[in-house]
Amino acid sequence: MTNDTFTDAAGAPGGTLANAVDDGRFGVRSMIAPLRRVLVRRPSTTGDFDTAEWERPDPELLVRQHEDFCRLLASLGCEVELADTAEGLVDATFMKDPGLVIGRGAVVFQMSKPVRRGESVLFAEALRAARVPITAELTGAARAEGGDILWLDSANVLVGRGYRTNTEGVRRLREIFRDEGVNVRSVDMPHDRGPLHVLHLTSIVSPVTEDLAVVYLPLAPVPLLEELEARGVRVIPVPPDEYETMACNVLAIRPGVVVMVDGNPRTQAALEAAGCEVHVYDGSEISVKGTGGPTCLTGPIWRS
């Protein structure tokens, strides 16, 4: 990867993109507004993949696929802030979960999954290196993960309460978002495969335009589906076999322009039939074996 494409978010910046970054270039209040800056982390090739519930990946291919994913983001106009590998923390490459950037800065979470509890400090370091202020942190009993947070619009957020985001986490998020003028509602997540399995709210729904979303209906909370219907959002159902290969995890680069894991032809065709421009990447190692698609791999810094 070249310095004219990426900025090192864990050390000294270099290249033209790094020089263009200034302190005001952050803020997220949407999942579909144009993605201008994004935080990603190089994957670890060592660690306890079994406890993290990965299917053991090919190390060289894992790294290469992540590099190709970053290049794809850059080719679509995103400024990619690249954090160094968190050696031994295999889930740390999923930068969506340890926190999130909102309007005035970032919120750093405490995570529920035992093997991920060291990620919050590293996430905070990457934010500071990217010159994003940290305005709040979860403490005490509050637990949350970014994958459980769904922007419905710039003033309304839906939070999935379950094994990853607990009741105290939802309560604290309500306080934090209220200070931003944002209303928070919560929905209960299904048990599915139990507390160790990765299941976030955005594991089952991905907005791609203001009136279109990809949804895995069998696990979708009824209040979520009612909310989408009330808003006039059309639903593209994901087939069960493609749900297993991350077809429901779709990253909107801007309305109607999306990135998804290759190998999900029916969902891809449905998106294209609905007028979307779809870009795919080979995610056999970095996404499918780790059960984390493109939204999981990215921590949006600036959407506008």
Side-chain angles (χ1 to χ4, degrees):
M1 292 184 287
T2 59
N3 280 339
D4 63 347
T5 303
F6 301 102
T7 301
D8 185 353
T16 57
L17 287 183
N19 296 335
V21 174
D22 63 53
D23 290 346
R25 306 184 73 203
F26 62 86
V28 176
R29 293 176 73 110
S30 169
M31 294 181 72
I32 59 171
L35 181 60
R36 302 189 183 278
R37 291 182 72 201
V38 63
L39 188 61
V40 300
R41 184 180 298 282
R42 292 184 176 97
S44 176
T45 58
T46 62
D48 191 347
F49 286 98
D50 294 333
T51 299
E53 294 198 300
W54 283 60
E55 182 182 346
R56 192 165 293 273
D58 177 291
E60 292 184 2
L61 187 53
L62 176 75
V63 171
R64 186 162 66 249
Q65 286 182 355
H66 190 267
E67 290 176 345
D68 289 344
F69 175 72
C70 291
R71 290 191 182 95
L72 174 58
L73 295 179
S75 75
L76 295 172
C78 302
E79 295 181 9
V80 177
E81 301 283 350
L82 185 60
D84 284 340
T85 301
E87 293 293 349
L89 296 177
V90 299
D91 278 341
T93 194
F94 299 132
M95 288 293 268
K96 174 78 170 179
D97 295 324
L100 80 163
V101 177
I102 46 180
R104 292 180 293 181
V107 184
V108 177
F109 297 156
Q110 296 186 108
M111 305 183 75
S112 294
K113 191 175 180 181
V115 295
R116 303 198 68 177
R117 289 177 185 167
E119 294 180 29
S120 298
V121 171
L122 298 176
F123 183 72
E125 290 174 355
L127 287 168
R128 294 186 185 102
R131 295 188 283 277
V132 178
I134 296 171
T135 57
E137 298 182 52
L138 296 193
T139 58
R143 299 287 185 271
E145 296 188 9
D148 279 326
I149 297 173
L150 177 75
W151 286 94
L152 296 169
D153 57 42
S154 62
N156 291 279
V157 163
L158 198 62
V159 176
R161 186 186 73 87
Y163 291 123
R164 297 306 180 84
T165 299
N166 64 10
T167 299
E168 180 62 16
V170 173
R171 186 196 68 78
R172 184 72 182 103
L173 287 170
R174 282 200 175 98
E175 294 177 343
I176 293 167
F177 276 99
R178 184 170 59 239
D179 290 342
E180 297 267 353
V182 176
N183 177 61
V184 170
R185 293 170 48 204
S186 66
V187 294
D188 288 342
M189 297 300 297
H191 170 80
D192 190 31
R193 301 173 198 178
L196 295 181
H197 182 73
V198 176
L199 180 65
H200 294 121
L201 182 59
T202 56
S203 298
I204 56 179
V205 56
S206 293
V208 294
T209 71
E210 288 187 357
D211 63 356
L212 185 67
V214 173
V215 180
Y216 184 56
L217 293 171
L219 291 177
V222 170
L224 167 65
L225 298 178
E226 292 175 338
E227 181 69 31
L228 295 178
E229 183 179 9
R231 290 171 174 269
V233 176
R234 296 171 292 149
V235 167
I236 293 178
V238 172
D241 59 327
E242 293 193 351
Y243 171 74
E244 298 295 336
T245 50
M246 301 291 106
C248 203
N249 197 291
V250 178
L251 175 67
I253 302 297
R254 50 189 175 272
V257 178
V258 302
V259 170
M260 66 183 299
V261 181
D262 198 10
N264 295 292
R266 284 173 287 171
T267 304
Q268 181 178 346
L271 282 163
E272 291 170 342
C276 293
E277 177 184 319
V278 180
H279 300 265
V280 298
Y281 68 98
D282 184 356
S284 64
E285 312 302 302
I286 191 63
S287 289
V288 177
K289 289 184 177 179
T291 62
T295 66
C296 303
L297 289 166
T298 50
I301 294 175
W302 188 25
R303 284 188 181 268
S304 68

